[in-house]
Amino acid sequence: MIKFFLMVNKQGQTRLSRYYEHVEINKRAMLEAEVIKNCLSRSKDQCSFIEYKDFKLVYRQYAALFVVVGINETENEMAVYELIHNFVEVLDKYFSRVIMFNLDRVHIILDEMVLNGCIVETNRSRILAPLFVLDKVVES
Amino acid sequence: MSDVVERTLSVLPGLLGQHEPGAGPGGAGGPARASATSRLGSLIRSITALTSKHEEEKLIQQELTSLKATVSAPTTTLRLMKECMVRLIYCEMLGYESSFGYIHAIKLAQQGNLLEKRVGYLAVSLFLHENHELLLLLVNTVVKDLQSTNLVEVCMALTIVSQIFPREMIPAVLPLIEDKLQHSKEIIRRKAVQALYKFYLIAPNQVQHIHDKFRKALCDRDAGVMAASLHIYLQMIKENSSGYKDLTGSFVTILKQVVGGKLPIDFNYHSVPAPWLQIQLLRILGLLGKNDPRTSELMYDVLDESLRRAEINHNITYAILFECVQTIYTIHPKSELLEKAAKCIGKFVLSPKINLKYLGLKALTYVIQQDPNLALQHQMTIIECLDHPDPIIKRETLELLYRITNGQNVVVIVQKMLDYLKESKEEYAIINLVGKIAELAEKYAPDDEWFIQTMNAVFSVGGDVVHPDIPNNFLRLLAEGKVCIVFCLGFDDGKGDDQLRIYAVQSYLALLEEEDALYPQKLLQVMSWVLGEYSSLITDVDPEVILTKLHSLLKKTCVTSETKAWIMAAVTKIASRTSCSKTVDKLIQEFSNSLETYMRQYVFELKHLCENKVLMKKFLPFDASCNDMVVDASLSFLDGFVAEGLGRGAAPYKPHHQRQEEKLSQEKALNFEPYGLSFASSVSSSGITGRQSPTVLSFGSDTSGNSAETGHKETNTLKLEGVRKLWGKEGYLPKKENKVGKENEPQTVACGSLLAGQVGDPPALRSEQVAILSEEDKEKQQLASTLFIGLGSNAGVSLMGKADTSTQKFKRKSKINETQNIEEASDFQNAAASDFGPLLDTVPINMEDCEGNLHTRLRKASLCSSDIVEDNLAFETPQALKKSGLDQRLSDSRLSQSSLFADSNIEIFQPPPSAQCESASKTPLVPSLPEELKELTHSEVVELCQNDALALYLCKVWTDDSLLLTVFVSNKTISALSAVNLVFEEAEHFQILESPSYQFPVIEARSVEHCQKCVWMDKICTQGVLSGSLNFQSEMETHLEFSVTLSLLDFIRPMEMTTEDFGNLWLSLSNDVKQNIKMSSSQDSLSAALNTLQQKLKLHIVDIIGNEGILACQLLPSVPCLLHCRTHSGMLALWFRSPCSALPDGLLYQCQKVMEES
């Protein structure tokens, strides 16, 4: 099961966070700081899975941005590692430029892919379909 | 793929908002987004530009203030509101609560159109948690949107429902969502299935009736809908794999199609067909095939194909392969597949790609329990991984080694673990590994010395974070003196224990020898306990020396007050064994003026005890820590004191809760205090109410800040037999508080030097230190031979650490018993499950009607089974028929006699004349329960009534979901009786499931037939009568009446739940009944009383905390009743709650009865 999905930059600023298990708001900032510290401390040739407390972190770095997913022991690390890439590819397909100022849309995309900590959709065109409809309505 | 990555990489820095200050809308967005993004954009940009956390906080607070004004202004348009929501989401994401916006998010979801609505829903799902009260306000909006003609709105509503929805409102939307399962658009069907999955997770009972719809979803023509249903199936199969075996074929077919590329091309990810779907299916197959050769057989082909197809070198295929390997090793093994899977693991482990290596190690760790040979094959790789620069790889390797530990390699493996611990700083890793080392040491220690040294290392490294169980267990081992099997060859002559104890004492004395060493508190506590108990075993050390050392420890500032209590206990014990000691005198003098009250108290006690050495020896007996402590809970020794007090006119003592009740009734106020709170307060106060000693009160209150811990300590002592001391009625109870359960507040004290010095370097490791490159391989070989010793084909699985057959050096009685019990229980379950399996197959309706509905199935199965038994009986009867001719005449005459009685209108169930009694006793037609019912709890078979032709017997079988009345009709005559009708009369209190009558088509001569009726209690009563009659046609109509007495207890079943569930349920129930009842002397403890309730009333004990216990039961079919018990001075305060008002009364009556009887 996926416990949380984070996008954090190298400076430790959270760009996106979605928790699939309730975490108190004041504990989130602490958790995120520790998670990114853990990721930053690892070099490129070390493995992308970290054992952290009683769960695991799977992370992937894109330029200065880290996408970090917290999972429990039932999840397949490699599958999650590729899920991150799938997510980034979907973002890439949808946004031509700046993503971060569209926080709501990134969330909407993520909601299509992961629900209740489960991977529910990985088909790119299906992930984006509802969002395209919304955009069309907004344009007209 | 590479160009995609490149493009992505070039785009992503934009996320930081560092370049392109005028960042415009995304490609897909329109002009409407321009203003929205720019406001969020400028906020993000200014936050990014800031350098300190303080500045960030200031800026965000500013932002929140302005947002607050905007969202509450009535003129704010929905579009602006949407934009505000996104900014609020951003602020919350940075950790600044913006609860003022929650209600506006709900409003936006309600009023906005499309994108605004979606953002409203999104904000709700991000802001609120599952139990948030505002969530109820969303329900109407969701219901409205579910009925909308706009598909986008329906989609949104379904999405929010599958993310967050109040459990109690499920019935409001469930029918709407069920309808959506037939929708023409795949996305709606898919999202409906996802919503139902959510419902299944939070309230499985509410979706029980739509299991067949899940099946339809599984067979949906659209792959997405089918994939969504797999989440539900994975969950259901996890909970009960045996119920879904019939679906194996479907899952296999689906996987075959996916692997074979039959899905639309857009399901591919990097030209691999729907990889995550494949993984999901493989998991399901693994669960289904586990321990089931027949089901496993079905999936061998597709697994083979999956392995074969996943040959492209891409991460996602590795993920699939990993899952495949796991499934192959989970299901019933097939050698051919195992070979391929092993090859696959080899490829992973040897890969230069670090992620793949990790995956390989993980797979190997999983697989190694089934096939230890695989560890041998890869031993060199494992050794290399052990020295890998990446600590994650190292840790995974240690995990692997932990699983292959045996008596021969334990020394090397534990050393490797300790080496890792020295480098590790992460607390969780330390706790985890220290626990494993302690476990391995207890299980496989080769000798006493090593065991003690290793445990010392555990305490030194673990420091303040070791689990409290570790020192407890260690001390218990020492105290119980479980003999080392290997060394003492089973002689329980006590020498082995002493040896171990002497080693321990010696090693601690050596540790204390070091002047400036700082030890963790836990280690000091262990040391002082051992020295106090067993230092007298060593004859060559003067006790004075030990006392001096303990004395100097007391003076150290780094020693916590808790540890000082342990040390003082040790001093007292040693002092009891020496005639007189200068050090003790000095100590008494020194601390009698101490500023620390508790120290003054210990010293005061010690001083007075030293004055009477005989008495001191009597209550500090040597090596008696395992003896059961006799506590005079009724405080009878105080009776005189109390009587005297009462005589002088003192008010009688009232227990805490009684005083509270009185106070409340005086105030004439309703008690709105929630259950949870009263519980918490009573736990913390248990130190005072639970303890009977007045001195304890002073102990608690004098030690500032300590009083809050008392309750906690007490719970510790319950587990800690090893450190208990015998304190009897003589009145030394206050002392007890000083002795027991002082093991909190450890301190971090680094103790690096200890590790290297203490743990004996095994030869293999010493050689490792030689740093000559050419010899490196040799060393590795050597290490390998020490690590993997005892593995392999000869050693077999039994040597694998996890197998139960392994010799456990130091036995822990209680734990073993526990695991055995659990195993037995699970065996029983398995047996039960397999018994029902074949039966189900024979009942075609079941499969169609109630797929997956376990409850109904089991009930039906049990009913079916009775039918089958009847068939069996019918087969046996023809033999009896042959004999029947012989006695025909005799029986004729008897029958005519009986008919005479009938004619003369004598009551039929009046006892028959003595002659017939005799003949009845001669017929050995004693009915017995069919085999499958015998395993269930049941009453004895009792006779209900009889006449000269028939006898009626009854047996109550208490099944999990009903009371099964088994009625036996025995034909005593020598001719067959046909059309015997059994009819139960309608009763006020009881309901007979299905029909109240049953017809035996024929009962052969001298044989017994039986039928079963499920009964529920409809209206609650403590006892009720169910009457009925038996009619049959012999020479003339005969009518036989009978009645059965049923008690409430026949319908009470234990209800298993967690303490948390109990708390929640408790708060939601309204019908209260409270009563104090007196406990008899035989059950003076709470647990004894609760056990009585558990055994006699079939209540389930949920938890026992201090002097309070909670129990739960249910009245069939499913009316819960919760019970909270609390003991105080020989009284048991019972507090029932249930949704049904009559149930607590009924149960209370039963409780009183049971407690009086026992």
Side-chain angles (χ1 to χ4, degrees):
Chain A
M1 199 195 126
I2 296 176
K3 296 193 163 199
F4 55 78
F5 201 107
L6 293 179
M7 290 170 89
V8 191
N9 72 8
K10 262 189 166 170
Q11 284 77 46
Q13 284 160 330
T14 309
R15 292 310 191 194
L16 176 102
S17 71
R18 172 58 112 168
Y19 290 83
Y20 299 100
E21 258 174 18
H22 183 65
V23 179
E24 291 291 327
I25 188 161
N26 42 12
K27 286 187 185 148
R28 291 183 186 185
M30 220 161 64
L31 178 91
E32 283 157 27
E34 267 188 59
V35 164
I36 189 67
K37 209 177 83 194
N38 259 300
C39 293
L40 283 171
S41 71
R42 318 238 336 136
S43 66
K44 280 235 160 65
D45 52 347
Q46 290 187 311
C47 89
S48 314
F49 319 128
I50 313 176
E51 282 171 50
Y52 174 74
K53 298 211 167 140
D54 54 344
F55 52 94
K56 282 186 183 154
L57 303 173
V58 177
Y59 71 95
R60 233 172 147 145
Q61 189 178 358
Y62 295 94
L65 190 80
F66 282 92
V67 181
V68 193
V69 182
I71 55 171
N72 70 3
E73 73 289 345
T74 59
E75 204 63 57
N76 178 331
E77 287 91 345
M78 195 61 105
V80 174
Y81 186 69
E82 284 307 298
L83 175 80
I84 295 176
H85 194 68
N86 193 7
F87 175 63
V88 169
E89 281 181 7
V90 174
L91 292 185
D92 183 52
K93 188 178 168 191
Y94 179 77
F95 295 100
S96 60
R97 279 153 144 204
V98 183
I99 302 171
M100 216 47 250
F101 304 145
N102 292 298
L103 185 61
D104 46 347
R105 284 179 163 75
V106 181
H107 265 297
I108 292 171
I109 291 175
L110 184 60
D111 280 355
E112 289 296 320
M113 295 181 71
V114 182
L115 261 184
N116 288 312
C118 294
I119 305 170
V120 290
E121 188 57 83
T122 50
N123 178 331
R124 248 179 280 174
S125 48
R126 290 192 170 194
I127 292 166
L128 290 176
L131 196 52
F132 280 139
V133 176
L134 284 178
D135 284 333
K136 248 183 220 155
V137 176
V138 171
E139 265 171 56
S140 59
Chain B
M1 175 193 143
S2 62
D3 71 306
V4 176
V5 175
E6 254 165 52
R7 264 199 305 141
T8 317
L9 289 178
S10 66
V11 164
L12 281 166
L15 284 166
L16 305 170
Q18 277 160 349
H19 51 156
E20 296 184 80
R33 279 203 329 226
S35 69
T37 48
S38 65
R39 279 195 209 171
L40 175 68
S42 63
L43 175 63
I44 294 176
R45 265 195 297 276
S46 40
I47 294 279
T48 310
L50 295 177
T51 48
S52 77
K53 189 79 190 160
H54 179 68
E55 285 173 326
E56 179 193 293
E57 199 174 327
K58 223 167 99 185
L59 188 72
I60 296 274
Q61 289 306 349
Q62 250 173 19
E63 181 74 20
L64 284 176
T65 322
S66 91
L67 278 170
K68 196 172 184 175
T70 318
V71 293
S72 42
T75 51
T76 307
T77 61
L78 287 172
R79 181 185 291 177
L80 182 59
M81 190 67 97
K82 184 211 121 203
E83 186 268 330
C84 288
M85 267 320 134
V86 181
R87 276 190 284 162
L88 279 176
I89 291 174
Y90 182 76
C91 291
E92 277 239 331
M93 188 178 78
L94 294 186
Y96 300 90
E97 200 186 286
S98 53
S99 46
F100 63 85
Y102 295 175
I103 187 73
H104 297 284
I106 290 177
K107 263 201 215 153
L108 188 63
Q110 188 188 348
Q111 296 164 353
N113 63 20
L114 296 182
L115 190 57
E116 292 148 11
K117 190 184 259 301
R118 182 67 184 90
V119 171
Y121 275 134
L122 172 68
V124 168
S125 76
L126 285 165
F127 290 158
L128 305 186
H129 60 82
E130 209 102 72
N131 301 318
H132 202 287
E133 49 195 357
L134 281 181
L135 214 51
L136 286 174
L137 298 178
L138 197 70
V139 175
N140 260 333
T141 315
V142 170
V143 170
K144 209 183 83 203
D145 285 341
L146 280 176
Q147 291 164 315
S148 164
T149 49
N150 188 332
L151 292 186
V152 183
E153 285 182 346
V154 179
C155 265
M156 288 176 196
L158 287 170
T159 305
I160 191 77
V161 166
S162 36
Q163 283 173 321
I164 184 169
F165 198 76
R167 189 186 343 200
E168 59 273 27
M169 296 309 287
I170 291 176
V173 294
L174 191 56
L176 292 171
I177 291 174
E178 277 182 65
D179 282 349
K180 300 287 181 258
L181 289 173
Q182 275 98 45
H183 202 277
S184 58
K185 285 270 185 285
E186 67 80 22
I187 187 167
I188 304 284
R189 294 201 303 277
R190 176 160 59 90
K191 285 186 179 280
V193 174
Q194 284 166 3
L196 291 177
Y197 171 58
K198 176 70 177 181
F199 291 167
Y200 182 79
L201 287 180
I202 58 176
N205 293 334
Q206 306 218 30
V207 290
Q208 239 172 20
H209 63 288
I210 38 179
H211 281 209
D212 56 330
K213 293 192 176 161
F214 296 155
R215 211 171 263 232
K216 257 184 208 142
L218 182 66
C219 307
D220 199 281
R221 58 186 180 281
D222 184 87
V225 182
M226 178 273 295
S229 76
L230 290 184
H231 291 287
I232 303 179
Y233 276 107
L234 182 67
Q235 193 66 33
M236 293 197 295
I237 290 170
K238 241 184 230 167
E239 286 156 17
N240 165 35
S241 67
S242 58
Y244 302 91
K245 300 274 184 187
D246 60 316
L247 284 175
T248 313
S250 314
F251 293 125
V252 167
T253 318
I254 295 170
L255 184 56
K256 239 178 216 159
Q257 287 175 352
V258 176
V259 172
K262 299 273 162 50
L263 289 190
I265 197 88
D266 61 350
F267 279 94
N268 284 9
Y269 173 77
H270 294 266
S271 59
V272 178
W276 290 277
L277 177 60
Q278 287 191 42
I279 288 170
Q280 190 84 349
L281 283 163
L282 285 167
R283 279 182 197 155
I284 291 177
L285 290 184
L287 291 171
L288 284 172
K290 195 174 185 181
N291 303 325
D292 185 346
R294 256 179 51 202
T295 312
S296 300
E297 193 78 31
L298 299 172
M299 47 186 86
Y300 291 145
D301 273 352
V302 75
L303 288 174
D304 192 45
E305 193 170 344
S306 291
L307 280 180
R308 211 154 29 80
R309 293 261 185 175
E311 264 172 356
I312 322 156
N313 285 330
H314 188 281
N315 277 335
I316 197 66
T317 53
Y318 301 145
I320 297 174
L321 281 176
F322 174 80
E323 213 65 46
C324 241
V325 167
Q326 233 175 358
T327 305
I328 288 172
Y329 271 94
T330 308
I331 63 172
H332 188 79
K334 188 187 183 194
S335 58
E336 199 184 312
L337 277 179
L338 291 181
E339 219 168 88
K340 284 182 185 170
K343 215 180 265 171
C344 193
I345 295 176
K347 216 171 80 186
F348 281 12
V349 176
L350 293 173
S351 165
K353 288 183 188 163
I354 185 97
N355 287 344
L356 212 51
K357 207 186 244 327
Y358 175 90
L359 222 54
L361 281 173
K362 198 180 157 190
L364 203 54
T365 311
Y366 180 77
V367 155
I368 219 145
Q369 286 160 88
Q370 273 107 14
D371 186 5
N373 279 319
L374 222 48
L376 290 176
Q377 269 174 38
H378 297 294
Q379 47 178 301
M380 289 322 283
T381 322
I382 295 173
I383 302 275
E384 270 163 29
C385 289
L386 211 47
D387 290 323
H388 200 278
D390 189 346
I392 298 290
I393 297 286
K394 258 192 201 177
R395 201 168 139 185
E396 198 62 31
T397 315
L398 288 178
E399 180 72 36
L400 190 152
L401 289 179
Y402 164 71
R403 310 228 172 176
I404 58 165
T405 309
N406 57 41
Q408 285 156 289
N409 60 18
V410 64
V411 176
V412 192
I413 289 177
V414 165
Q415 183 57 44
K416 283 283 169 198
M417 288 178 164
L418 287 170
D419 289 346
Y420 179 85
L421 271 184
K422 270 188 269 182
E423 293 160 22
S424 175
K425 282 180 200 72
E426 214 230 312
E427 192 179 299
Y428 193 86
I430 295 176
I431 298 175
N432 184 311
L433 214 51
V434 156
K436 281 182 178 151
I437 294 175
E439 187 197 324
L440 292 179
E442 274 176 28
K443 245 188 200 166
Y444 302 113
D447 58 67
D448 294 338
E449 197 174 354
W450 181 88
F451 177 63
I452 297 290
Q453 303 290 18
T454 305
M455 290 311 286
N456 286 349
V458 163
F459 292 128
S460 321
V461 183
D464 54 346
V465 292
V466 296
H467 196 275
D469 277 354
I470 296 176
N472 290 357
N473 287 336
F474 174 64
L475 292 185
R476 186 154 65 191
L477 278 174
L478 282 179
E480 286 176 352
K482 286 295 166 231
V483 190
C484 175
I485 295 165
V486 179
F487 279 81
C488 299
L489 301 164
F491 295 110
D492 196 355
D493 55 0
K495 270 187 188 164
D497 317 343
D498 282 355
Q499 203 63 48
L500 185 64
R501 290 165 181 173
I502 288 169
Y503 273 132
V505 172
Q506 278 168 342
S507 83
Y508 295 144
L509 285 176
L511 286 182
L512 288 178
E513 208 62 54
E514 285 187 42
E515 283 292 314
D516 298 319
L518 291 172
Y519 299 115
Q521 303 299 316
K522 287 248 164 81
L523 181 56
L524 286 176
Q525 290 164 10
V526 167
M527 280 183 191
S528 28
W529 189 85
V530 171
L531 290 179
E533 282 288 320
Y534 303 118
S535 63
S536 57
L537 289 173
I538 295 191
T539 44
D540 57 345
V541 180
D542 186 3
E544 206 66 8
V545 176
I546 301 170
L547 285 170
T548 319
K549 277 182 183 156
L550 291 173
H551 182 206
S552 64
L553 270 184
L554 278 176
K555 285 190 284 192
K556 282 191 180 164
T557 46
C558 60
V559 175
T560 63
S561 55
E562 196 199 339
T563 309
K564 281 183 186 169
W566 284 74
I567 298 173
M568 280 308 295
V571 170
T572 315
K573 283 181 214 163
I574 296 173
S576 75
R577 284 169 216 137
T578 53
S579 48
C580 70
S581 157
K582 270 185 207 156
T583 320
V584 172
D585 294 341
K586 208 167 109 196
L587 195 144
I588 290 173
Q589 212 170 15
E590 199 172 311
F591 287 100
S592 53
N593 293 323
S594 169
L595 285 176
E596 295 153 315
T597 332
Y598 58 92
M599 282 304 289
R600 277 213 307 278
Q601 191 196 330
Y602 300 142
V603 168
F604 176 79
E605 285 162 359
L606 177 61
K607 191 178 157 197
H608 282 264
L609 282 172
C610 283
E611 284 164 8
N612 189 348
K613 285 273 173 183
V614 181
L615 183 66
M616 193 176 188
K617 273 205 171 120
K618 196 176 158 198
F619 81 84
L620 287 171
F622 176 67
D623 194 17
S625 51
C626 290
N627 298 0
D628 278 337
M629 183 165 57
V630 182
V631 179
D632 182 7
S634 64
L635 304 184
S636 56
F637 60 90
L638 280 176
D639 287 350
F641 178 75
V642 172
E644 201 180 303
L646 288 172
R648 274 188 271 119
Y653 173 75
K654 285 176 189 164
H656 177 69
H657 82 279
Q658 201 179 338
R659 271 174 286 163
Q660 230 175 9
E661 273 166 26
E662 279 175 20
K663 210 170 121 198
L664 280 173
S665 62
Q666 275 164 10
E667 287 167 8
K668 293 205 168 112
L670 286 171
N671 183 10
F672 286 115
E673 193 184 16
Y675 181 74
L677 277 181
S678 80
F679 213 76
S681 74
S682 58
V683 169
S684 65
S685 66
S686 66
I688 297 162
T689 51
R691 292 282 168 188
Q692 298 82 9
S693 147
T695 329
V696 176
L697 281 170
S698 74
F699 177 80
S701 49
D702 283 349
T703 334
S704 56
N706 256 15
S707 57
E709 287 166 4
T710 335
H712 182 62
K713 281 179 189 172
E714 217 178 35
T715 51
N716 272 348
T717 59
L718 283 175
K719 291 184 270 174
L720 196 107
E721 291 162 48
V723 251
R724 279 203 294 204
K725 268 279 156 202
L726 181 84
W727 303 102
K729 297 182 181 182
E730 292 89 336
Y732 293 103
L733 278 163
K735 196 71 179 152
K736 186 172 80 189
E737 191 60 85
N738 305 337
K739 299 276 177 189
V740 268
K742 287 146 187 162
E743 55 208 274
N744 285 332
E745 304 174 29
Q747 258 183 16
T748 339
V749 182
C751 203
S753 65
L754 192 79
L755 258 181
Q758 293 309 317
V759 180
D761 278 352
L765 292 176
R766 258 184 223 138
S767 68
E768 208 183 23
Q769 287 157 1
V770 188
I772 304 167
L773 272 171
S774 60
E775 284 192 356
E776 212 171 63
D777 283 346
K778 227 190 216 170
E779 286 161 26
K780 280 185 180 168
Q781 289 284 6
Q782 210 173 339
L783 179 62
S785 63
T786 44
L787 273 178
F788 298 99
I789 190 166
L791 287 180
S793 46
N794 296 341
V797 191
S798 65
L799 274 172
M800 308 310 299
K802 302 290 146 266
D804 272 325
T805 46
S806 63
T807 47
Q808 203 162 355
K809 283 203 73 180
F810 300 96
K811 279 185 198 156
R812 262 190 262 145
K813 269 188 198 158
S814 55
K815 282 215 171 168
I816 290 174
N817 285 344
E818 261 167 41
T819 47
Q820 273 176 353
N821 285 343
I822 292 166
E823 272 164 29
E824 274 168 25
S826 65
D827 276 351
F828 177 72
Q829 276 171 355
N830 287 343
S834 58
D835 277 348
F836 284 126
L839 279 174
L840 286 176
D841 286 342
T842 61
V843 190
I845 356 151
N846 281 358
M847 306 312 284
E848 289 298 317
D849 285 349
C850 46
E851 297 151 354
N853 186 338
L854 177 69
H855 276 281
T856 20
R857 269 186 175 204
L858 281 179
R859 193 172 307 136
K860 284 207 176 166
S862 63
L863 288 174
C864 297
S865 64
S866 72
D867 290 341
I868 286 168
V869 174
E870 275 160 10
D871 287 347
N872 288 343
L873 282 173
F875 274 116
E876 286 164 17
T877 41
Q879 291 168 333
L881 199 68
K882 287 175 195 161
K883 292 182 189 167
S884 63
L886 288 166
D887 299 316
Q888 190 116 38
R889 269 200 176 175
L890 197 67
S891 88
D892 278 348
S893 62
R894 267 190 218 138
L895 272 176
S896 59
Q897 265 177 10
S898 82
S899 56
L900 270 174
F901 277 108
D903 281 343
S904 54
N905 282 335
I906 295 171
E907 283 294 317
I908 305 287
F909 50 92
Q910 168 194 329
S914 58
Q916 271 142 26
C917 257
E918 256 179 59
S919 75
S921 60
K922 274 177 203 160
T923 52
L925 292 173
V926 183
S928 68
L929 273 180
E931 282 309 317
E932 66 270 40
L933 291 178
K934 269 186 187 156
E935 280 167 23
L936 300 165
T937 47
H938 57 85
S939 69
E940 281 176 5
V941 179
V942 290
E943 187 190 294
L944 283 179
C945 62
Q946 61 172 311
N947 67 2
D948 50 348
L950 282 177
L952 210 60
Y953 299 89
L954 175 89
C955 177
K956 294 180 187 174
V957 181
W958 296 289
T959 66
D960 282 346
D961 52 6
S962 73
L963 171 70
L964 204 61
L965 290 180
T966 310
V967 181
F968 300 87
V969 182
S970 137
N971 180 359
K972 297 191 288 186
T973 65
I974 45 164
S975 59
L977 291 170
S978 60
V980 180
N981 247 329
L982 178 77
V983 184
F984 281 100
E985 281 168 28
E986 206 171 292
E988 188 193 357
H989 298 287
F990 306 104
Q991 178 203 346
I992 294 171
L993 303 183
E994 306 185 19
S995 106
S997 62
Y998 185 83
Q999 186 175 46
F1000 299 94
V1002 69
I1003 303 180
E1004 297 297 343
R1006 303 198 154 265
S1007 71
V1008 182
E1009 290 285 343
H1010 74 275
C1011 73
Q1012 285 158 334
K1013 290 283 165 202
C1014 282
V1015 186
W1016 280 351
M1017 186 173 259
D1018 236 0
K1019 245 170 103 184
I1020 288 163
C1021 62
T1022 50
Q1023 213 162 56
V1025 174
L1026 188 63
S1027 43
S1029 58
L1030 196 68
N1031 296 302
F1032 63 98
Q1033 196 79 39
S1034 54
E1035 280 174 9
M1036 55 195 310
E1037 179 89 22
T1038 313
H1039 184 78
L1040 199 58
E1041 276 180 12
F1042 63 90
S1043 63
V1044 185
T1045 310
L1046 299 176
S1047 135
L1048 175 68
L1049 287 184
D1050 288 325
F1051 302 92
I1052 296 290
R1053 298 288 178 274
M1055 186 166 166
E1056 282 189 18
M1057 55 167 65
T1058 63
T1059 311
E1060 202 183 304
D1061 290 342
F1062 185 95
N1064 291 336
L1065 189 57
W1066 181 269
L1067 288 177
S1068 69
L1069 299 178
S1070 51
N1071 294 302
D1072 251 0
V1073 170
K1074 286 189 207 176
Q1075 180 82 41
N1076 289 342
I1077 57 176
K1078 204 166 157 38
M1079 296 198 290
S1080 62
S1081 53
S1082 65
Q1083 356 132 317
D1084 49 3
S1085 76
L1086 176 70
S1087 59
L1090 294 192
N1091 279 333
T1092 315
L1093 294 181
Q1094 186 183 28
Q1095 280 159 15
K1096 302 239 167 111
L1097 302 187
K1098 295 179 225 146
L1099 306 182
H1100 170 69
I1101 301 181
V1102 180
D1103 210 345
I1104 301 179
I1105 301 168
N1107 64 337
E1108 299 183 82
I1110 48 179
L1111 302 96
C1113 66
Q1114 56 182 338
L1115 174 73
L1116 293 172
S1118 60
V1119 185
C1121 184
L1122 304 182
L1123 168 59
H1124 171 237
C1125 295
R1126 179 196 169 90
T1127 52
H1128 53 88
S1129 55
M1131 296 293 277
L1132 185 65
L1134 300 171
W1135 185 359
F1136 291 90
R1137 274 193 179 182
S1138 168
C1140 165
S1141 58
L1143 186 54
D1145 284 317
L1147 269 176
L1148 175 64
Y1149 169 74
Q1150 300 288 355
C1151 279
Q1152 282 171 321
K1153 221 170 80 179
V1154 164
M1155 297 303 278
E1156 274 165 26
E1157 279 165 13
S1158 61

